Amino acid sequence: MSSGSTCAVVGCHNNSRKLKNALETFCLEHQQLRKACPCPPPYALHSMPRKEDRKLAWLAALRLKHPPKRVYVCSFHFIDKKPTELHPDPELYLGYDRPPPKKRRRLTRTTLSVTASNQASISTQPPEPHLHSVHTQWEDPSQQDHQYCNRSRRKDVQDKMTQCDEVAYFILQNDADALLYTGIALETFNTLVSTLEGYDNNEFTMPVRDQVLMTLMKLKSNRVIGDLSRQFHISQSMASKIISHWLDKLEEVLRPLIPWLPKETIQATMPEAFKKNFPNSTCIIDCSETLLQKPRNLGSRGESYSHYYSHNTVKYLVAVAPCGLIMFVSAAYGGRCSDKFITMDSGILTYLKPGDEVMADRGFTIKDLLFERKVRLVIPEQVTYTRRIANVRIHVERAIRRLKVYKILSQIVPISMAPKVDKILRICAALVNLREDLIRDTQ
């Protein structure tokens, strides 16, 4: 592709080939190709004017060391989406930062009339260190936010500034792409984005669709922040802030998607494998662990050390309904905690009612806890009984496998992410519940 059909702005990759490919895609709203539907194209390429004064103004705005013979600029860099009389030149997202003015060294001259206190007041003060918010995760201190427009103009044009939506637009073409990058179907992702529209932060100029996609890509593939920031054309620190913001909002919005089902619903959605052998089952519980980066603090290191994995881990309890729906996921505990302690401390016992039946592995020594609440514990004891339980307990293992499809939970969790692990667990569990049924033989 020649440079003549590519946007000349530094860092912008919009060109005529991408535009042509976009028009060949299918419009879900109008059920036809985008080149035939009334939807506007994602962007347009505008050629540099021939008038000498306007030509010089464009080149000055673009700051190109070696401008091509034919200069094109896409509509994302114009305030009005195209050259107009009021705004004829490209002004937005020009891909460079204006360097700060050089600081002149301050000279202090002492005279006989100057006191010691006055000298101290006019002496050069040391620069304050750059501090990061403790709530911002995965932040690279060496990176700073990009400034895509002049600070003096930002407030005036903030309402008109929109960023290219091409990242999410080109990445998510079908359900296969959506499952690969987010773990949910494309229609489900679009519904989720529309639900989250009112939870965005005005500080972020990036479209909400791209922000949510980047956050889910972090959960699904656990890519490093630098890689995500390059793909979405933002700084690493801005990517960290966006992901931290949406982890909080996603957990708030998706929390109701992990419901404790009523007894009637559990019975109505129970698969045949349960109805035949364990008709009174309420839930299947199991504990899982995720590797944790070794803490520097010796106390935390001892609390999170798992003898089973010979590694520092976080441990959590998962309860799955017979139909495969995740009904409960506990907070993250240190790998040293026992299954019994987590069951007692996590709050799951408050959901159990007299007459319920809980299925668990042999390692769960919680019979006394359940007996107090008149709840029956089903664990493998005899060979025949063990086979029957194994045939149905496999469903909770499949649910946990779906949970660990999100690589943020199947790889080593950095210490910097430890404060967010509880929310990440609930978000991933809710996203698993948004997928198709785990068990399909329900009646």
Side-chain angles (χ1 to χ4, degrees), residues 150-168:
N150 192 339
R151 290 183 179 180
S152 62
R153 295 186 54 83
R154 180 179 300 172
K155 188 174 181 181
D156 299 332
V157 301
Q158 186 175 7
D159 295 336
K160 298 181 181 180
M161 289 170 61
T162 55
Q163 190 166 345
C164 177
D165 197 14
E166 68 162 324
V167 178

Side-chain angles (χ1 to χ4, degrees), residues 111-130:
T111 61
L112 296 177
S113 60
V114 177
T115 63
S117 60
N118 290 334
Q119 290 182 15
S121 64
I122 64 175
S123 61
T124 304
Q125 300 293 333
E128 295 182 359
H130 179 66

Side-chain angles (χ1 to χ4, degrees), residues 93-238:
Y93 319 121
L94 297 181
Y96 55 79
D97 291 334
R98 183 170 296 176
K102 295 183 179 180
K103 295 183 179 180
R104 298 178 60 183
R105 191 172 66 176
R106 199 169 190 178
L107 298 178
T108 57
R109 298 179 181 179
T110 60
T111 61
L112 296 177
S113 60
V114 177
T115 63
S117 60
N118 290 334
Q119 290 182 15
S121 64
I122 64 175
S123 61
T124 304
Q125 300 293 333
E128 295 182 359
H130 179 66
L131 300 178
H132 295 295
S133 170
V134 296
H135 298 291
T136 302
Q137 304 294 324
W138 318 297
E139 188 168 24
D140 187 353
S142 64
Q143 300 291 333
Q144 296 180 354
D145 296 345
H146 293 303
Q147 307 293 334
Y148 291 104
C149 62
N150 192 339
R151 290 183 179 180
S152 62
R153 295 186 54 83
R154 180 179 300 172
K155 188 174 181 181
D156 299 332
V157 301
Q158 186 175 7
D159 295 336
K160 298 181 181 180
M161 289 170 61
T162 55
Q163 190 166 345
C164 177
D165 197 14
E166 68 162 324
V167 178
Y169 181 78
F170 285 105
I171 287 180
L172 303 182
Q173 296 286 334
N174 48 46
D175 280 342
D177 295 338
L179 288 171
L180 176 64
Y181 291 107
T182 68
I184 55 179
L186 181 58
E187 183 179 358
T188 307
F189 173 78
N190 293 333
T191 305
L192 178 61
V193 171
S194 62
T195 306
L196 296 170
E197 287 288 347
Y199 293 85
D200 60 328
N201 190 333
N202 293 331
E203 179 186 354
F204 309 139
T205 58
M206 204 167 137
V208 174
R209 182 181 173 88
D210 283 359
Q211 295 180 43
V212 177
L213 174 61
M214 183 173 65
T215 305
L216 294 185
M217 286 174 68
K218 175 61 184 176
L219 298 178
K220 181 63 168 59
S221 57
N222 199 21
R223 290 165 58 181
V224 295
I225 295 298
D227 187 17
L228 290 173
S229 65
R230 285 191 175 187
Q231 184 166 8
F232 287 86
H233 311 297
I234 57 176
S235 67
Q236 292 189 31
S237 59
M238 180 58 69

Side-chain angles (χ1 to χ4, degrees), residues 33-78:
L33 292 178
R34 292 189 182 275
K35 63 181 179 181
C37 77
C39 293
Y43 58 86
L45 293 171
H46 303 283
S47 59
M48 187 168 61
R50 296 183 179 180
K51 290 185 179 180
E52 193 65 23
D53 56 340
R54 293 267 56 84
K55 184 177 180 180
L56 293 176
W58 273 45
L59 293 176
L62 297 175
R63 298 187 187 180
L64 300 176
K65 292 183 178 180
H66 305 287
K69 293 182 179 179
R70 297 181 180 179
V71 177
Y72 291 88
V73 177
C74 71
S75 54
F76 290 110
H77 307 289
F78 294 93

